[in-house]
């Protein structure tokens, strides 16, 4: 429901060579919601000395919860298997505050409905607002993501480039509803589709590449109709036509972008590439 890039689970998302607990702490520090899944034997799990694992200061689960509570993250206890919420007296001192958070029950016989209710609550917690998402910061990050995309593509890492282009699209999904009139975000949507197409083509997924390129074309044509002075949209259309092998048409669009903005560096670079193809 949220996209893999928004959900962190240590078992799945830790990468080889990472300092695993430092990585977990970094994720906790920036999370909007910290989920604690509690089953009926959650407090009863024992170590080799038959002591409760949760009582050990070195227990990883305890350390993660303590870190989230100390950082004042929003904590959501999730009760499964008919579990009950632990009381303060049942918990170690470092995590007694866990008992203060309202739990969500996910019952076996009402699983789908309860999970849906949980998701709705999480959407309230993680959906951005203008107070938490600054347009200028998002524009800078989206530009940096596109630069990283081309670094990956130039290194023949088409799979990594595709994943980054898809992450860019997901980021736009979250930001664009907050700033629906921003031209830069709209143009970036088109470039994201175009970037997906390039990576898909390198991976030999040509039908999908054509579909993504058609989406990019639609975005740029729509933007040119909305704002004929949008240099980014004209250059985007030029990029689409260049990928289709229509170099004369591509040059016409790119020249229009440079007529609007003579200092448009990306358009200048694209023009040189297209001229190289025309020779």
């Amino acid at each position: 429901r949220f996209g893999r890039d928004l959900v962190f689970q240590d078992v799945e998302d830790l990468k080889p060579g990472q300092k695993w607990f430092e990585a977990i702490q970094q994720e906790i520090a920036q999370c909007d919601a910290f989920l604690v899944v509690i089953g009926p034997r959650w407090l009863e799990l024992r170590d080799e000395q038959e002591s409760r694992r949760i009582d050990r200061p070195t227990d990883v689960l305890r350390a993660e919860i303590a870190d989230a509570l100390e950082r004042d993250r929003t904590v959501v206890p999730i009760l499964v298997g008919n579990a009950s919420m632990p009381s303060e007296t049942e918990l170690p001192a470092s995590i007694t505050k866990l008992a203060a958070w309202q739990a969500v029950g996910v019952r076996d016989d009402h699983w789908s409905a309860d999970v849906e209710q949980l998701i709705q609550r999480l959407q309230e917690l993680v959906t951005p607002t203008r107070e938490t998402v600054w347009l200028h910061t998002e524009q800078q990050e989206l530009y940096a993501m596109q630069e990283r995309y081309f670094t990956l593509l130039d290194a023949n890492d088409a799979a990594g480039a595709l994943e980054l282009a898809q992450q860019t699209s997901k980021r736009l999904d979250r930001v664009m509803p907050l700033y629906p009139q921003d031209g830069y975000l709209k143009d970036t949507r088109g470039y994201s589709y175009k970037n997906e197409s390039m990576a898909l083509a390198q991976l030999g997924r040509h039908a999908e590449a054509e579909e993504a390129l058609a989406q990019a074309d639609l975005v740029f044509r729509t933007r040119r109709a909305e704002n004929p002075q949008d240099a980014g949209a004209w250059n985007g259309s030029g990029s689409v036509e260049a990928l289709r092998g229509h170099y004369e048409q591509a040059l016409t669009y790119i020249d229009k972008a440079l007529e609007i903005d003579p200092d448009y560096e990306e358009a200048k670079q694209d023009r040189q590439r297209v001229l190289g193809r025309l020779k």
Side-chain angles (χ1 to χ4, degrees):
R1 291 293 191 93
F2 294 95
R4 291 185 60 85
D5 60 316
L6 279 193
V7 181
F8 178 83
Q9 183 183 18
D10 54 7
V11 174
E12 291 191 356
D13 295 319
L14 288 171
K15 297 178 175 58
Q18 278 189 304
K19 293 183 177 179
W20 60 270
F21 194 65
E22 288 183 12
I24 291 171
Q25 287 179 311
Q26 290 173 1
E27 294 293 335
I28 292 172
Q30 64 185 7
C31 74
D32 294 309
F34 179 86
L35 311 185
V36 183
V37 183
I38 299 174
R41 297 184 59 249
W42 192 72
L43 289 174
E44 300 173 16
L45 294 176
R46 305 280 168 168
D47 60 19
E48 56 276 7
Q49 283 79 40
E50 288 302 311
S51 299
R52 292 196 319 172
R53 287 178 54 182
I54 200 75
D55 289 327
R56 293 189 308 184
T58 57
D59 181 66
V60 175
L61 174 62
R62 170 177 162 175
E64 290 177 351
I65 297 171
D67 193 23
L69 292 169
E70 184 177 343
R71 294 179 187 273
D72 201 25
R73 301 293 86 190
T74 297
V75 177
V76 184
I78 302 173
L79 306 177
V80 298
N82 294 318
S84 299
M85 188 65 191
S87 65
E88 286 190 17
T89 58
E90 295 176 291
L91 295 168
S94 62
I95 61 170
T96 55
K97 291 181 180 179
L98 176 64
W101 288 93
Q102 180 64 39
V104 175
V106 179
R107 300 161 292 179
D108 292 348
D109 54 349
H110 294 81
W111 183 268
S112 295
D114 288 348
V115 169
E116 186 65 34
Q117 184 178 19
L118 170 62
I119 287 171
Q120 289 177 2
R121 175 58 181 143
L122 292 175
Q123 286 175 329
E124 295 172 4
L125 293 171
V126 305
T127 300
T129 65
R130 286 196 178 200
E131 287 70 35
T132 60
V133 174
W134 298 94
L135 178 59
H136 182 64
T137 301
E138 289 299 318
Q139 290 173 339
Q140 288 181 319
E141 180 56 29
L142 288 163
Y143 184 83
M145 291 175 78
Q146 291 186 83
E147 287 191 321
R148 293 198 297 272
Y149 164 88
F150 283 106
T151 299
L152 292 170
L153 201 67
D154 292 342
N156 294 317
D157 184 2
L162 176 60
E163 182 178 3
L164 187 55
Q166 291 169 339
Q167 289 176 5
T168 303
S169 291
K170 290 177 181 177
R171 191 176 191 118
L172 286 166
D173 287 342
R174 299 193 294 273
V175 176
M176 288 186 70
L178 303 178
Y179 300 97
Q181 302 306 318
D182 185 70
Y184 181 85
L185 296 181
K186 293 180 181 180
D187 287 348
T188 303
R189 173 72 77 187
Y191 283 107
S192 179
Y193 283 132
K194 188 264 296 181
N195 292 347
E196 285 188 39
S197 176
M198 293 170 65
L200 286 164
Q202 280 201 17
L203 291 167
R205 296 162 60 179
H206 298 294
E208 294 170 86
E210 285 298 323
E211 184 177 345
L213 198 60
Q215 291 285 347
D217 187 23
L218 177 60
V219 170
F220 292 131
R221 284 191 287 112
T222 302
R223 285 293 301 139
R224 284 161 36 212
E226 289 177 346
N227 180 9
Q229 295 302 305
D230 183 350
W234 285 100
N235 192 60
S237 290
S239 298
V240 168
E241 294 304 326
L243 288 173
R244 289 172 169 167
H246 304 158
Y247 300 117
E248 292 285 357
Q249 185 62 56
L251 192 60
T252 299
Y253 287 139
I254 294 170
D255 283 345
K256 178 63 176 179
L258 287 168
E259 177 186 323
I260 296 168
D261 182 1
D263 297 324
Y264 193 166
E265 288 300 326
E266 287 81 4
K268 291 179 183 178
Q269 295 169 12
D270 288 343
R271 190 176 195 279
Q272 290 302 314
R273 295 190 189 97
V274 170
L275 286 174
R277 293 287 187 175
L278 286 170
K279 290 181 180 178

